[in-house]
Amino acid sequence: MDDKLKNIAWHIQQETQQLVARLIQKAIDDTGETNIVISGGYGLNCVANYFYKKTFPNINLYIDPLSHDGGTALGLALLSWYSQNPESKPKKLKNLYLSAPPDYSDIEQTLKQLPTMESKDVNPDDVAQLLVDGNIVSLFNGRAEGGPRALGNRSILFDPRVKDGKNIVNKVKGREWFRPF
């Protein structure tokens, strides 16, 4: 990436975190509330989150562990539930596994529709060899985790030593060039 694009990305980072900091300050000023929750896609911005912690040392900043840029605002759903059911006591999430246990019965049928895909049981040595051979490996094991970042049960693996690995994976996934991997 050339310096012009890096400078644009840096500038956007600075401007957006300043804008959100002004919104946080306005919320504090308007409500007196010092318990602040950041959710949604912007909650994924760890650089900005550290900036807010430093900028607002006297607030309780909570970053939703299920922040997601796909429009799934679990925090808003919970707020709505507890607003409509005030007798309910808020419960802490015990884990991020929000899906039902997987049903593996239709995997073989699905794979028949994807002729370039292969499925097989493997061990860690097999996975390591696939990666060394330049393959992208998809890991599917157990229940799906809530949130956009896999915790191990749903992962896409690629050899990090490959210079343009991020671009290769993003191309296969049909993602924009700036997406992290």
Side-chain angles (χ1 to χ4, degrees):
M1 181 184 327
D2 66 17
D3 286 342
K4 183 178 180 181
L5 293 175
K6 289 177 187 175
N7 288 336
I8 290 170
W10 179 87
H11 183 73
I12 290 169
Q13 176 68 37
Q14 297 301 308
E15 290 293 319
T16 55
Q17 70 189 26
Q18 288 291 335
L19 173 66
V20 173
R22 288 193 297 274
L23 292 171
I24 292 170
Q25 187 63 59
K26 180 171 176 17
I28 294 168
D29 294 344
D30 289 353
T31 67
E33 183 62 60
T34 58
N35 295 315
I36 304 297
V37 177
I38 296 179
S39 188
Y42 209 74
L44 298 173
N45 189 330
C46 60
V47 173
N49 292 341
Y50 284 113
F51 172 78
Y52 307 137
K53 286 183 145 214
K54 185 177 176 183
T55 302
F56 301 101
N58 298 320
I59 67 171
N60 296 315
L61 184 62
Y62 178 78
I63 308 300
D64 181 356
L66 298 177
S67 293
H68 195 285
D69 51 6
T72 55
L74 186 60
L76 183 58
L78 290 171
L79 175 63
S80 176
W81 168 260
Y82 290 119
S83 294
Q84 294 174 24
N85 299 282
E87 71 285 351
S88 297
K89 227 178 184 182
K91 297 176 186 171
K92 289 185 178 183
L93 291 176
K94 294 181 181 170
N95 61 58
L96 297 179
Y97 297 102
L98 301 178
S99 73
D103 176 6
Y104 297 104
S105 63
D106 64 345
I107 289 178
E108 290 303 321
Q109 187 60 33
T110 301
L111 286 172
K112 288 177 185 174
Q113 299 169 19
L114 303 166
T116 60
M117 299 289 282
E118 180 182 342
S119 173
K120 63 182 174 179
D121 291 332
V122 295
N123 63 44
D125 290 336
D126 296 330
V127 172
Q129 188 60 53
L130 287 165
L131 294 171
V132 167
D133 291 345
N135 292 287
I136 297 172
V137 177
S138 297
L139 176 70
F140 175 89
N141 181 35
R143 295 171 63 187
E145 306 93 350
R149 304 294 184 252
L151 301 173
N153 284 353
R154 305 287 192 281
S155 295
I156 297 173
L157 308 175
F158 192 70
D159 188 342
R161 299 171 299 174
V162 175
K163 182 180 178 203
D164 294 322
K166 175 186 75 110
N167 297 334
I168 293 167
V169 173
N170 280 347
K171 183 176 180 181
V172 169
K173 290 187 69 183
R175 298 174 74 196
E176 298 89 344
W177 62 268
F178 58 83
R179 298 281 186 165
F181 180 72

